[in-house]
Amino acid sequence: MRIYIAGSGAMGCRFGYQLQQSGQEVILLDNWQDHIDAIKQNGLKIVGDKPDCVKMTIMHPTEAHETADFIILFTKAMQLPQMLEDIKQIIGEHTKVLCLLNGLGHEDTIRKYIKEENILMGVTVWTAGLKGPGVAILQGKGSINLQSFDTCGKESSAQIVDVMNQAGLNVIYDEDVLPSIWRKACVNGTMNSTCALCDCTIGEFFATEDALHTVRAIIHEFCEVGIASGVKLNESEIVDYVMHVSEIAAPHYPSMHQDLVQNHRLTEIDFINGAVARRGRKLGIQTPYCQMITDLIHAKEHILGISK
Amino acid sequence: MRIYIAGSGAMGCRFGYQLQQSGQEVILLDNWQDHIDAIKQNGLKIVGDKPDCVKMTIMHPTEAHETADFIILFTKAMQLPQMLEDIKQIIGEHTKVLCLLNGLGHEDTIRKYIKEENILMGVTVWTAGLKGPGVAILQGKGSINLQSFDTCGKESSAQIVDVMNQAGLNVIYDEDVLPSIWRKACVNGTMNSTCALCDCTIGEFFATEDALHTVRAIIHEFCEVGIASGVKLNESEIVDYVMHVSEIAAPHYPSMHQDLVQNHRLTEIDFINGAVARRGRKLGIQTPYCQMITDLIHAKEHILGISK
């Protein structure tokens, strides 16, 4: 199976590496020139649980030409439209596309390029890091929940699940994946924006009752908007889940902190809290906490001179 | 007239200096030892419009013993209860007390120590800075609006207005000072907390439509709560005023930025946005923007290791 990883950062490298090791033809796509050069010259270096170094094919998205059997989308949220535009030449009649991006609402973008029966929406708890160009840090275990966007596609996605499981990716076909996607968005919506704004680790933010008031208010808005959109969400279960993740992840800076504070890059806020605020407006549901944190993150992007 | 300045930071020094120059007996009260030592040793140095150096009496609040004719309260908001406790020995039957603190709700604290007919509530647009211990920067002009808290005190406060005007302080007896106090609180509530959180100048924060959405939402909550409390506020007039001040003050960091970011001191947030959120709860009015920014500022105080 010819598999493209569209967006080969840390997570893309993990999935591409595991799939190639299991015997699939894998092509990494990315636009970070240093990363491309490093992998072309030295192969992909793996550090962490099982150090390794393997030759892998990597290129710019626009350089890809052979029709894909399967594409895993793993860009930053705001890079998705450009990525889809750049790879439309490899999307065929039967190309399956799995979206594993953080955040909400990506299906609306993907449907412009892919037939609904070929779209898979998913969420993963695998993790990965980059030590630098061409060097991925792979530690621990994870899993992926995914579902065909359209019930017509369920049968034909069985092959995708098989291929990914042969690569040890622990994929579960989920008859209702949206609650898991929203639950992960809640984790990001309570940790990413807050820690980026307050310049702190997850544990530092979650340490006071004041901060937890904000956390609970954000989760409440996600649940109100999600439930009104037909997603089966249990607010108290999500609060418990977020608190649990905040303990495990306490010493870490979330990805939005890395983007905004450490690297002065645009954030994914419009696809996390901003997506809930947007959908809330359409549904007539007030989301002041999501709206305010979105506005403040955008203000901070502007203050740091990061432009769209 | 024996006048105490209870809280002799930049603004306290300005008022104390002008009152002493006009012939009054002025005693500065403060707890900052370096500031006390500097003024005792070298006098109060004035830089700015009219450089000067004058001998002034300064001491710790607990060292004051002679009954006051008039006390100007000019502490940071959270220091007010301790200050009143420390100076209760100088409060007599006829001691007038003028509150010029930033923020809302101080009357509730002052009434525990001072008869209502002796309380004056005020607001000022004078400014001042400190260049270091014992050195005040005095530039520009200003004015003070004040009103007796209790109509019984109006007549006897005429003398206070006279004395302050002889010192060039441009005092207006305002038949309804609360709208001005709330209007200034709106300025602080939209600039202080936001710039402290985003680590930026007023101009940097007010530069985007995203940020202005937050500004307008905060003003709306101040007005809803203020109007429900009987204060005559005109929301669109206040929006215009805040925008006007934001242009004049664009290059500056507001005082809460100086407290939190620059000096790692506790902020006055509970007396600005926090006061509106508290009063909103009592009145059954939702104030998510004020509540969230209060929670985030407290979270940041905790992250910086500042304890109450």
Side-chain angles (χ1 to χ4, degrees):
Chain A
M1 194 176 260
R2 183 179 299 125
I3 303 172
Y4 286 91
I5 310 292
S8 299
M11 291 292 285
C13 283
R14 170 187 274 284
F15 286 22
Y17 168 72
Q18 290 191 223
L19 285 162
Q20 178 171 294
Q21 293 301 96
S22 75
Q24 304 300 332
E25 177 189 351
V26 174
I27 301 110
L28 304 178
L29 302 177
D30 211 83
N31 283 305
W32 182 18
Q33 195 59 49
D34 289 350
H35 192 49
I36 294 171
D37 293 344
I39 293 174
K40 280 189 173 170
Q41 239 169 14
N42 313 315
L44 175 66
K45 284 193 189 165
I46 307 292
V47 298
D49 292 342
K50 280 192 187 177
D52 198 359
C53 186
V54 294
K55 204 169 144 56
M56 290 202 74
T57 306
I58 184 164
M59 57 185 69
H60 287 276
T62 48
E63 293 169 336
H65 286 298
E66 295 189 273
T67 303
D69 296 309
F70 180 35
I71 300 170
I72 301 179
L73 297 171
F74 234 142
T75 61
K76 285 278 174 189
M78 51 281 186
Q79 298 161 348
L80 180 62
Q82 187 62 50
M83 177 59 83
L84 285 165
E85 192 60 34
D86 288 348
I87 62 171
K88 58 186 179 189
Q89 68 286 355
I90 61 169
I91 299 168
E93 186 72 11
H94 303 290
T95 302
K96 289 276 179 186
V97 173
L98 169 61
C99 173
L100 287 175
L101 273 66
N102 269 337
L104 300 169
H106 303 304
E107 57 275 21
D108 297 336
T109 308
I110 299 172
R111 283 153 76 181
K112 294 177 193 159
Y113 295 86
I114 319 280
K115 282 195 294 186
E116 293 194 359
E117 67 195 63
N118 285 335
I119 302 174
L120 297 157
M121 298 302 292
V123 59
T124 181
V125 293
W126 284 102
T127 61
L130 279 185
K131 215 180 161 179
V135 185
I137 310 164
L138 305 189
Q139 284 169 321
K141 287 276 169 193
S143 62
I144 299 169
N145 281 36
L146 58 76
Q147 184 185 18
S148 177
F149 185 74
D150 179 318
T151 44
C152 301
K154 183 185 169 183
E155 213 171 311
S156 57
S157 54
Q159 201 197 345
I160 296 293
V161 174
D162 277 352
V163 162
M164 294 185 84
N165 275 333
Q166 281 160 26
L169 288 168
N170 298 332
V171 176
I172 297 145
Y173 188 89
D174 191 331
E175 292 291 347
D176 189 12
V177 79
L178 277 176
S180 299
I181 291 176
W182 277 72
R183 196 170 66 159
K184 189 173 185 189
C186 271
V187 170
N188 289 320
T190 52
M191 297 177 189
N192 272 355
S193 42
T194 52
C195 293
L197 201 58
C198 291
D199 188 6
C200 62
T201 64
I202 292 162
E204 286 173 333
F205 187 74
F206 275 67
T208 60
E209 190 48 42
D210 301 295
L212 293 183
H213 179 269
T214 288
V215 166
R216 284 189 292 261
I218 290 173
I219 293 174
H220 179 69
E221 291 179 358
F222 270 71
C223 288
E224 275 210 308
V225 170
I227 289 166
S229 307
V231 185
K232 295 189 193 79
L233 299 174
N234 177 329
E235 186 168 334
S236 72
E237 185 265 336
I238 291 182
V239 170
D240 290 346
Y241 180 70
V242 166
M243 293 308 296
H244 174 68
V245 174
S246 77
E247 284 166 30
I248 297 170
H252 298 288
Y253 291 98
S255 60
M256 196 177 289
H257 185 280
Q258 296 169 26
D259 287 338
L260 185 68
V261 181
Q262 298 173 34
N263 298 311
H264 292 198
R265 288 197 209 113
L266 276 179
T267 72
E268 298 185 318
I269 192 73
D270 283 337
F271 302 90
I272 305 174
N273 306 78
V276 171
R278 254 189 336 269
R279 196 173 294 200
R281 269 199 299 280
K282 276 191 195 160
L283 295 166
I285 296 169
Q286 300 275 316
T287 58
Y289 281 80
C290 283
Q291 185 63 56
M292 186 184 198
I293 199 103
T294 301
D295 290 337
L296 291 176
I297 290 286
H298 281 316
K300 186 72 189 176
E301 288 171 345
H302 175 82
I303 291 158
L304 293 171
I306 312 167
S307 58
K308 286 180 191 174
Chain B
M1 195 176 263
R2 183 180 299 126
I3 303 172
Y4 288 91
I5 311 291
S8 300
M11 291 291 285
C13 282
R14 171 186 273 285
F15 286 23
Y17 168 73
Q18 288 190 225
L19 285 161
Q20 177 171 294
Q21 293 301 97
S22 76
Q24 304 299 331
E25 178 190 350
V26 173
I27 301 111
L28 305 177
L29 302 177
D30 210 83
N31 283 304
W32 182 18
Q33 194 58 51
D34 289 351
H35 192 50
I36 295 171
D37 292 345
I39 293 174
K40 280 188 173 172
Q41 238 168 16
N42 313 316
L44 175 67
K45 283 193 190 165
I46 307 291
V47 298
D49 292 344
K50 280 192 187 174
D52 198 359
C53 185
V54 295
K55 205 168 144 53
M56 290 202 73
T57 306
I58 184 164
M59 59 184 71
H60 287 277
T62 48
E63 292 169 335
H65 286 296
E66 295 191 273
T67 302
D69 296 309
F70 180 36
I71 301 171
I72 301 180
L73 296 172
F74 234 141
T75 62
K76 286 277 175 188
M78 52 282 184
Q79 298 160 349
L80 180 62
Q82 187 62 51
M83 176 59 84
L84 286 165
E85 192 59 35
D86 287 349
I87 63 171
K88 59 187 176 188
Q89 68 285 355
I90 63 170
I91 299 166
E93 187 70 11
H94 304 290
T95 303
K96 289 274 180 187
V97 174
L98 169 60
C99 173
L100 287 175
L101 274 64
N102 270 336
L104 301 168
H106 302 306
E107 57 275 21
D108 296 336
T109 308
I110 300 171
R111 282 152 76 181
K112 293 177 192 159
Y113 294 87
I114 319 282
K115 283 194 295 186
E116 294 195 358
E117 68 193 63
N118 285 335
I119 302 174
L120 298 157
M121 299 303 294
V123 59
T124 181
V125 292
W126 284 103
T127 61
L130 278 185
K131 214 179 162 180
V135 185
I137 310 162
L138 305 189
Q139 284 170 319
K141 286 275 169 194
S143 62
I144 299 169
N145 282 36
L146 59 76
Q147 185 185 18
S148 177
F149 184 75
D150 180 322
T151 45
C152 301
K154 181 182 169 182
E155 212 171 312
S156 56
S157 54
Q159 201 196 346
I160 295 294
V161 174
D162 277 351
V163 163
M164 294 185 83
N165 275 333
Q166 282 160 27
L169 288 168
N170 299 332
V171 177
I172 298 145
Y173 188 88
D174 191 331
E175 293 290 347
D176 189 11
V177 80
L178 276 177
S180 300
I181 291 176
W182 277 72
R183 196 171 67 158
K184 187 171 186 192
C186 272
V187 170
N188 290 319
T190 51
M191 297 176 189
N192 272 354
S193 43
T194 52
C195 293
L197 201 58
C198 291
D199 187 7
C200 63
T201 64
I202 292 162
E204 286 172 332
F205 187 76
F206 275 68
T208 61
E209 190 48 43
D210 301 294
L212 293 181
H213 180 268
T214 289
V215 166
R216 285 189 292 260
I218 291 173
I219 292 173
H220 180 67
E221 290 180 358
F222 269 72
C223 287
E224 274 210 310
V225 171
I227 289 166
S229 306
V231 185
K232 295 189 194 79
L233 299 174
N234 177 329
E235 186 169 333
S236 72
E237 185 265 333
I238 292 183
V239 170
D240 291 346
Y241 180 70
V242 167
M243 293 308 297
H244 174 68
V245 174
S246 78
E247 284 166 29
I248 298 171
H252 298 288
Y253 291 98
S255 60
M256 196 178 290
H257 184 280
Q258 296 170 26
D259 287 336
L260 185 69
V261 181
Q262 299 174 33
N263 298 311
H264 291 198
R265 288 196 209 114
L266 276 179
T267 72
E268 298 185 317
I269 192 74
D270 283 336
F271 303 90
I272 306 172
N273 306 78
V276 171
R278 254 189 335 269
R279 196 173 290 202
R281 270 198 299 281
K282 276 191 194 159
L283 295 166
I285 297 169
Q286 300 274 316
T287 58
Y289 281 81
C290 284
Q291 184 64 55
M292 187 184 197
I293 198 104
T294 302
D295 290 337
L296 291 176
I297 291 286
H298 281 316
K300 187 73 188 175
E301 289 171 344
H302 175 82
I303 290 158
L304 293 171
I306 311 166
S307 59
K308 284 182 191 172

